[in-house]
Amino acid sequence: MTKFSRRKFIITAGATAAGTLFAHGCTSGNNTTANNTPAANNAPAATSSPVVATNVSAADAPEVTTAKLGYIALTDSAPLIIAKEKGLFDKYGMKDVEVLKQASWPVTRDNLEIGSTGGGIDGAHILTPMPYFMTLGQTKTKQAIPMYILARLNTNGQAISIGNTYKDAKIGLEAKALKDAFSQAKSSGKDELKVAITFPGGTHDMWMRYWLAANGINPDQEVSVIPVPPPQMVANMKTGNMEAFCVGEPWNAQLVNQQVGYTALVTGELWKNHPEKAFTMRADWVDKHPKAAKAVLKAVMEAQQWCEKTENKEEMCQILSQAKWFKVPAADIIERAKGNIDYGDGRPPLQASDLRMKFWADNASYPYKSHDLWFLTENIRWGNIPANTNTKELVDKVNREDLWRAAAQEMGVPAAEIPTSPSRGVETFFDGVTFDPENPAAYLASLKIKKA
């Protein structure tokens, strides 16, 4: 475990250590239920949206018309917000859906645990590994809360940012100089080097750890990896409380715009078209309301298609910037949403880069089981989940790509946009390491820096 002083950080919500697992390849399958756990919470008030006429037949009418969905103020939550703003939930018969801001990932987890019947939420924009942790019982009450992943919300679109102190070291994707720079900082009297992520075992934790380890830095011994809620990353960098952070947008762009630090890399450089956030719902809610769940999923998928279109980027960012959603300047969101990346350290900016956040293009919405398997294997690598966990069985339980396929077919998505396999095959990372989902054990064995 890493050590850090919480008092030195401007954080409002703690994070708990992540969870438990391991094993083989990818197939389909499923079905689990869970009981609601009543508890109190501080869920925010609902937002409003234009109402459109529903075109749902009586046979397809959802069992309920309401669902409470959580989001964190990150650009990759856009599909939930756009589905609300554009009346897409209404279109599919879910006229009373609420999209509610969450203070942090631990708060999201806790509100999912208690469910809407306990004052929480039914589903959320979430870090991909978190539904697995919850299904394994890594919750506030240590009770297993079975979850389903219904869609991937996006690929790419995150970044690792560094404080201006390290600008002369020219830290980028290849960061061998970072080890020496950190050593110099320690010799100058800095007793603890903190790098921030958003949730232990989450996507940002995995990107930060992979990058550090690939550059010869052991994240469990040479730095302190600490959790900080996304909206508080820039404030902590301003006060000098951290050396680096990994988070989604708009916070990396805001750091550059405020000239507090710079972007070392965007995560699409680390692994092109990598999976990021997921759309999850409680398994018991989906099992009880299958038509409503599919209706919500269709609305989110249609919103992803809308968000992907270049002509909609400006409007999307203007909506997200509003006080009721992100409360940040649209200028901090728009450029990177278009793939225009200013690193902030003198490197030539990227223009209309294919490393941009994708919501639909290149099968971004489809929840590949092979990608979930990588996240579980990495969490085994860092000791967050037991090495003897049957990861194939767990992925089949949580990942509902079958529901995505059914929704896509009913929506008339072209066959060319529906993957034919739940595995994307062998993946290659920036350092040349490959992950074969048919043999995750070989991948794990090949890594030099690890706990497991």
Side-chain angles (χ1 to χ4, degrees):
M1 295 294 291
T2 53
K3 298 179 180 178
F4 61 94
S5 172
R6 291 179 183 271
R7 288 176 296 179
K8 294 181 181 178
F9 279 79
I10 314 167
I11 54 178
T12 59
T16 59
T20 353
L21 50 117
F22 192 52
H24 329 287
C26 306
T27 49
S28 56
N30 235 350
N31 242 322
T32 1
T33 57
N35 296 321
N36 286 315
T37 306
N41 86 92
N42 299 315
T47 55
S48 60
S49 70
V51 177
V52 298
T54 180
N55 58 0
V56 179
S57 68
D60 294 328
E63 301 86 355
V64 292
T65 61
T66 186
K68 293 185 177 182
L69 308 177
Y71 78 98
I72 295 286
L74 292 164
T75 306
D76 41 36
S77 67
L80 271 64
I81 293 169
I82 293 302
K84 182 65 178 176
E85 287 280 345
K86 293 295 179 180
L88 297 177
F89 291 123
D90 303 45
K91 173 181 176 179
Y92 291 101
M94 296 299 293
K95 62 184 182 64
D96 301 308
V97 168
E98 299 176 55
V99 179
L100 309 170
K101 185 181 287 187
Q102 309 295 296
S104 66
W105 294 120
V107 170
T108 301
R109 175 204 58 206
D110 296 347
N111 281 333
L112 282 168
E113 180 177 3
I114 62 177
S116 62
T117 58
I121 55 180
D122 304 303
H125 151 251
I126 204 162
L127 299 167
T128 287
M130 289 180 68
Y132 287 96
F133 298 156
M134 295 184 67
T135 300
L136 289 168
Q138 294 181 20
T139 60
K140 191 172 184 179
T141 63
K142 310 304 181 188
Q143 299 296 311
I145 306 295
M147 301 294 297
Y148 290 155
I149 287 177
L150 304 185
R152 196 81 63 211
L153 286 178
N154 67 298
T155 58
N156 298 337
Q158 320 302 295
I160 294 178
S161 291
I162 307 284
N164 281 334
T165 304
Y166 297 94
K167 204 171 247 188
D168 291 343
K170 301 186 183 303
I171 304 302
L173 184 64
E174 300 285 350
K176 303 300 183 184
L178 187 60
K179 192 177 182 75
D180 289 338
F182 279 173
S183 295
Q184 290 174 13
K186 282 188 175 181
S187 64
S188 299
K190 202 156 193 176
D191 59 346
E192 188 179 14
L193 301 177
K194 305 181 188 76
V195 297
I197 48 86
T198 60
F199 187 87
T203 56
H204 304 115
D205 191 16
M206 298 299 96
W207 310 140
M208 178 65 81
R209 286 173 175 273
Y210 192 98
W211 177 67
L212 290 174
N215 284 289
I217 297 172
N218 190 318
D220 289 320
Q221 297 176 9
E222 298 175 68
V223 294
S224 293
V225 181
I226 60 97
V228 174
Q232 296 170 21
M233 292 287 192
V234 176
N236 277 286
M237 192 75 92
K238 279 182 180 179
T239 59
N241 286 333
M242 62 176 70
E243 318 306 309
F245 62 66
C246 183
V247 73
E249 299 302 340
W251 309 110
N252 300 283
Q254 185 177 92
L255 186 83
V256 171
N257 290 344
Q258 295 185 11
Q259 299 183 334
V260 180
Y262 66 98
T263 293
L265 67 139
V266 293
T267 48
E269 296 173 291
L270 188 151
W271 175 11
K272 189 174 182 182
N273 291 335
H274 68 78
E276 238 308 311
K277 304 300 185 303
F279 174 53
T280 192
M281 294 196 78
R282 287 177 58 110
D284 59 354
W285 196 94
V286 174
D287 292 340
K288 186 177 181 180
H289 312 108
K291 293 179 181 179
K294 189 180 290 185
V296 170
L297 177 56
K298 287 178 180 178
V300 170
M301 291 167 66
E302 187 169 333
Q304 289 182 278
Q305 294 173 325
W306 188 93
C307 291
E308 187 64 44
K309 294 179 180 177
T310 302
E311 62 267 28
N312 293 334
K313 298 294 185 186
E314 291 277 356
E315 184 182 356
M316 179 188 83
C317 295
Q318 288 294 337
I319 290 171
L320 298 181
S321 73
Q322 295 174 21
K324 65 178 178 177
W325 298 117
F326 288 10
K327 198 177 181 181
V328 300
D332 288 345
I333 312 173
I334 185 59
E335 293 306 320
R336 294 199 180 194
K338 291 179 176 180
N340 303 330
I341 300 164
D342 178 6
Y343 291 93
D345 63 352
R347 277 177 284 172
L350 302 181
Q351 297 295 324
S353 171
D354 194 49
L355 300 175
R356 73 186 185 282
M357 182 178 293
K358 298 176 183 178
F359 297 99
W360 188 262
D362 299 322
N363 301 324
S365 174
Y366 176 74
Y368 284 101
K369 290 187 173 186
S370 58
H371 290 164
D372 288 5
L373 182 61
W374 180 83
F375 282 116
L376 299 183
T377 305
E378 277 290 301
N379 271 288
I380 289 168
R381 175 188 185 181
W382 300 115
N384 294 324
I385 56 182
N388 64 354
T389 306
N390 188 328
T391 50
K392 175 185 179 297
E393 182 179 89
L394 186 62
V395 169
D396 286 346
K397 181 184 294 185
V398 175
N399 184 303
R400 295 304 307 269
E401 60 84 30
D402 59 315
L403 297 183
W404 189 99
R405 287 178 186 277
Q409 290 166 358
E410 291 177 17
M411 292 169 67
V413 172
E417 296 179 22
I418 301 176
T420 57
S421 170
S423 173
R424 202 171 71 174
V426 176
E427 305 284 352
T428 303
F429 299 83
F430 84 99
D431 55 350
V433 171
T434 59
F435 173 75
D436 182 353
E438 296 304 317
N439 193 359
Y443 166 82
L444 190 58
S446 74
L447 302 169
K448 294 179 181 178
I449 299 177
K450 58 195 170 190
K451 274 188 177 180

